[in-house]
Amino acid sequence: ASRLETSVAMMASLGLVWLTVVYVILVVAAPASVIVEATPISIPVVDIGVDVYGERVELPLVGAGTWQYNDTIAYQSVCQALEAGYTLIDTAFGYGNQKGVGMAIRDCFHGSRSDLFVMTKVPGGLTAPEVHAAHVQNLFELGLDYVDHLMTHFPADWDYETSKTKASPAMRQEEWLALESLYYSGTTRSIGISHYCSSHIHDILKVATVRPSINQVEYHVGSGDVDQVMATCREEGIAFMSFSPLCGPCQLSNEDDSLISGTLVTEIGNKYNKTGSQVSLRYIVQQALTTTTTTGPIMKMGGVIPKSNNMKHIRSNRDIFNFCLSNEDMQQLKAATKPAAEPGDCNVP
């Protein structure tokens, strides 16, 4: 029976344990006149818990983002990402491109389904029946019988200032319990949240029997902890995952602040023969690869989901596991205050 057809009534204990897999790049001897592309280093993963069947759920640290892509561009981008060796695809009900993503998986992914990690979202501010209906549509559009991670996209309806009834602790709790029921049904292997601040997390933890495995928040060089939520994620064992790792939505007043070609990331990149964007992405995943702590629980970091429809950039964004930023460079990047992130999610009641 498929996961969609299987209903399992059981409690799952989501023990969050780090797992980092490091591979060595394969060097192939060749004549000097022949250019041989080195075999890419496999993408490390982080363990974010167990599914309802007790199997570990492993999140790759680099994936393909699809925000703002229509079906056509999403198809092209995801096909190229799969060809480049990506195994994590991020999409959402609200992106309106899941049909394109699903077609790309069908046409361009040639491995085992268990080797692919598909992450999607349902809108915030939904009732339980609306959550179930949205996820049925997710699966239909993607052409899958389960996803690997399902999150609620926002702690309220996007238009929460107008639709006052869609923004409250009670609504978040109802939506979370609906996500739990989908987890127990096997139609998603893990569940999480996005744009959630500390108060929103505490709202759902009051009723949760399955803890969120991921909180996806804007995070990049220059953003800092814009919503002051990283400490809560650490204390509660929730992986803190970056969206917009290259600050895609940023309106730059100074191109020197760019996380792709700006002065800071470019000068650091020159030390390692890497691009500015590779430095920006490495800054985040290097935190994910650091598993030591002096006191208290480990800060679990999720991966990055840069988007591109250019194969050169797609390959470059993946090529960030064969160098390590020095402590001095990490501290310099951490101290940056530009480009700043956009606060405001914590205003949701």
Side-chain angles (χ1 to χ4, degrees):
S2 70
R3 292 177 183 266
L4 185 61
E5 296 165 340
T6 303
S7 177
V8 179
M10 62 177 290
M11 296 288 290
S13 175
L14 294 180
L16 296 170
V17 181
W18 281 92
L19 176 64
T20 304
V21 181
V22 180
Y23 293 81
V24 179
I25 196 165
L26 177 63
V27 179
V28 180
S33 60
V34 178
I35 298 174
V36 178
E37 183 177 344
T39 301
I41 295 175
S42 294
I43 297 173
V45 299
V46 58
D47 189 323
I48 60 169
V50 296
D51 64 15
V52 74
Y53 305 100
E55 299 173 356
R56 305 312 305 181
V57 181
E58 297 177 335
L59 174 71
L61 288 182
V62 173
T66 62
W67 179 52
Q68 294 181 322
Y69 285 164
N70 60 25
D71 281 322
T72 300
I73 302 302
Y75 177 86
Q76 296 169 354
S77 175
V78 172
C79 275
Q80 291 181 92
L82 293 170
E83 181 183 343
Y86 285 66
T87 55
L88 165 61
I89 309 299
D90 177 81
T91 184
F93 181 97
Y95 293 174
N97 62 20
Q98 291 188 127
K99 290 182 180 179
V101 171
M103 288 177 63
I105 292 171
R106 183 194 67 196
D107 294 348
C108 304
F109 182 68
H110 306 297
S112 168
R113 173 64 183 91
S114 61
D115 294 331
L116 184 66
F117 195 106
V118 179
M119 171 183 290
T120 191
K121 310 165 190 74
V122 293
L126 300 185
T127 64
E130 289 171 335
V131 169
H132 284 267
H135 193 48
V136 167
Q137 185 169 336
N138 285 342
L139 297 176
F140 173 76
E141 291 180 347
L142 290 167
L144 301 174
D145 59 4
Y146 73 94
V147 296
D148 299 274
H149 187 79
L150 177 67
M151 58 179 65
T152 174
H153 209 155
F154 197 67
D157 180 83
W158 290 115
D159 192 26
Y160 69 91
E161 293 181 338
T162 301
S163 56
K164 301 292 186 182
T165 60
K166 300 267 187 178
S168 69
M171 283 297 302
R172 282 187 285 279
Q173 290 170 351
E174 179 178 354
E175 182 156 21
W176 183 255
L177 292 176
L179 288 179
E180 287 192 1
S181 69
L182 293 171
Y183 168 83
Y184 286 127
S185 77
T187 57
T188 180
R189 300 186 64 223
S190 58
I191 51 178
I193 51 185
S194 183
H195 292 268
Y196 267 50
C197 294
S198 295
S199 62
H200 307 139
I201 293 173
H202 293 312
D203 288 340
I204 64 172
L205 289 180
K206 290 177 182 177
V207 300
T209 64
V210 179
R211 299 175 74 80
S213 54
I214 294 172
N215 185 19
Q216 197 181 83
V217 177
E218 182 180 353
Y219 182 67
H220 48 75
V221 173
S223 72
D225 184 8
V226 64
D227 290 320
Q228 303 298 307
V229 72
M230 293 180 75
T232 300
C233 289
R234 176 175 178 166
E235 291 164 5
E236 300 297 343
I238 301 168
F240 181 87
M241 183 176 184
S242 161
F243 69 72
S244 298
L246 299 177
C247 204
C250 291
Q251 301 296 319
L252 299 177
S253 58
N254 188 337
E255 286 300 318
D256 277 349
D257 298 329
S258 168
L259 297 185
I260 297 172
S261 59
T263 301
L264 173 62
V265 293
T266 299
E267 289 183 349
I268 291 176
N270 289 339
K271 301 179 186 179
Y272 305 93
N273 196 28
K274 293 292 182 179
T275 66
S277 58
Q278 288 174 316
V279 168
S280 299
L281 297 174
R282 176 69 197 189
Y283 169 70
I284 299 172
V285 300
Q286 189 159 311
Q287 294 174 67
L289 292 167
T290 302
T291 61
T292 59
T293 181
T294 53
T295 59
I298 292 170
M299 180 69 214
K300 282 184 64 78
M301 297 287 292
V304 291
I305 44 173
K307 69 171 187 175
S308 178
N309 192 32
N310 178 298
M311 181 57 99
K312 179 181 178 181
H313 295 161
I314 289 170
R315 292 189 186 279
S316 174
N317 290 340
R318 186 193 187 286
D319 186 25
I320 56 175
F321 298 105
N322 56 3
F323 75 108
C324 185
L325 295 167
S326 69
N327 289 336
E328 179 183 0
D329 290 334
M330 287 292 288
Q331 289 304 313
Q332 191 175 4
L333 292 165
K334 182 179 180 180
T337 57
K338 293 181 180 180
E342 184 176 348
D345 294 343
C346 297
N347 294 335
V348 177

